[in-house]
Amino acid sequence: MRDALGIGVAVGVSGLAFGTAAVASGLSVAQAGALSLLTFSGASQFALIGVIAGGGNLIAGTAGALLLGARNTLYGLRMADVLGVRGVRRAVASQGVVDESAAITLAQPDRATARTAYAWTFATLFVAWNLTTLIGALATERVGDTAAFGLDAVGPAIFLALLWPRLREGRRERLVALLGAGIALAAAPLLPSGVPVLLASVAALVGLLPPAGSTTRGTGVDDDTGTGAPGAGRAGAPAPDGVRS
């Protein structure tokens, strides 16, 4: 419960940035609030208003938001098994399947603890996100000329903050980012606003390529435990090339 409350409050405060960016992009306070209430997926929400702010249409913005939110489908498949909820409870629980709730739930040792972690993370994050969205939207609406404060840069800044840690994970992540940026820049002068971003998503196909230096199976060694068939990866004996002993 303590961890769930901490995550919910810390991440929920980001709703201020969304509320601010949404109104600066041309949405009303009611529209910004409805997006947080019904969509409840930060990256998808920022993607939608980013396309709208750039002059793109609602279809392109929605398509981009759906692409980013597709990962929640995979989370949902795993969470359904872990939580084991049924009927109406499952429908309600599905609204809270986001990065943070999935991470804290899957880290629990048993179903009872997982349900507690999920429920508290979902509740805290949902309330905090929607409340701060409303505060940010109301405050921005009263500012008047939001362009004078550079609030249109809030959305891109949030995306950079989300992207930066991924760039430090490895070469493949950096390759996907560079390839996606190149595709978007090349397509921007030729296609309507929002479409280049959707087209750039094909860069993620790089993830289907096998890792550099990967070895074929059949070495008899388990990469995580260092155990396997007799004589394979045994202490004092050299491990096969590319296999962690």
Side-chain angles (χ1 to χ4, degrees):
M1 288 172 60
R2 179 194 61 201
D3 293 341
L5 288 171
I7 291 173
V9 172
V11 178
V13 173
S14 300
L16 285 170
F18 173 73
T20 298
V23 173
S25 300
L27 273 64
S28 66
V29 173
Q31 289 171 329
L35 266 178
S36 282
L37 187 66
L38 301 176
T39 305
F40 189 54
S41 181
S44 295
Q45 293 177 224
F46 277 108
L48 177 59
I49 64 171
V51 172
I52 294 175
N57 59 49
L58 187 60
I59 295 177
T62 302
L66 287 172
L67 282 174
L68 283 173
R71 69 190 188 284
N72 293 336
T73 303
L74 302 179
Y75 292 159
L77 292 172
R78 182 72 180 106
M79 299 293 282
D81 181 55
V82 172
L83 298 175
V85 292
R86 297 287 184 270
V88 177
R89 294 176 61 193
R90 173 175 287 193
V92 174
S94 67
Q95 178 69 355
V97 177
V98 292
D99 299 333
E100 294 78 16
S101 62
I104 192 172
T105 300
L106 295 176
Q108 306 310 313
D110 54 66
R111 175 167 290 178
T113 311
R115 285 180 172 179
T116 299
Y118 182 80
W120 279 90
T121 303
F122 176 18
T124 307
L125 183 54
F126 188 80
V127 172
W129 178 263
N130 282 278
L131 180 60
T132 54
T133 292
L134 180 60
I135 294 173
L138 287 172
T140 306
E141 187 183 51
R142 296 178 182 276
V143 166
D145 183 13
T146 56
F149 294 89
L151 297 179
D152 55 328
V154 172
I158 290 292
F159 264 118
L160 286 175
L162 293 172
L163 176 64
W164 188 255
R166 301 302 305 273
L167 297 180
R168 302 175 61 183
E169 291 182 5
R171 295 179 180 177
R172 179 174 301 194
E173 287 77 10
R174 290 190 288 272
L175 177 60
V176 170
L178 289 174
L179 182 59
I183 293 173
L185 288 173
L190 308 174
L191 299 174
S193 179
V195 177
V197 175
L198 301 181
L199 187 61
S201 65
V202 301
L205 294 176
V206 172
L208 297 177
L209 300 176
S214 62
T215 59
T216 58
R217 295 186 178 183
T219 60
V221 178
D222 181 79
D223 286 351
D224 292 324
T225 63
T227 59
R234 190 173 295 168
D241 290 341
V243 178
R244 177 159 48 87
S245 61

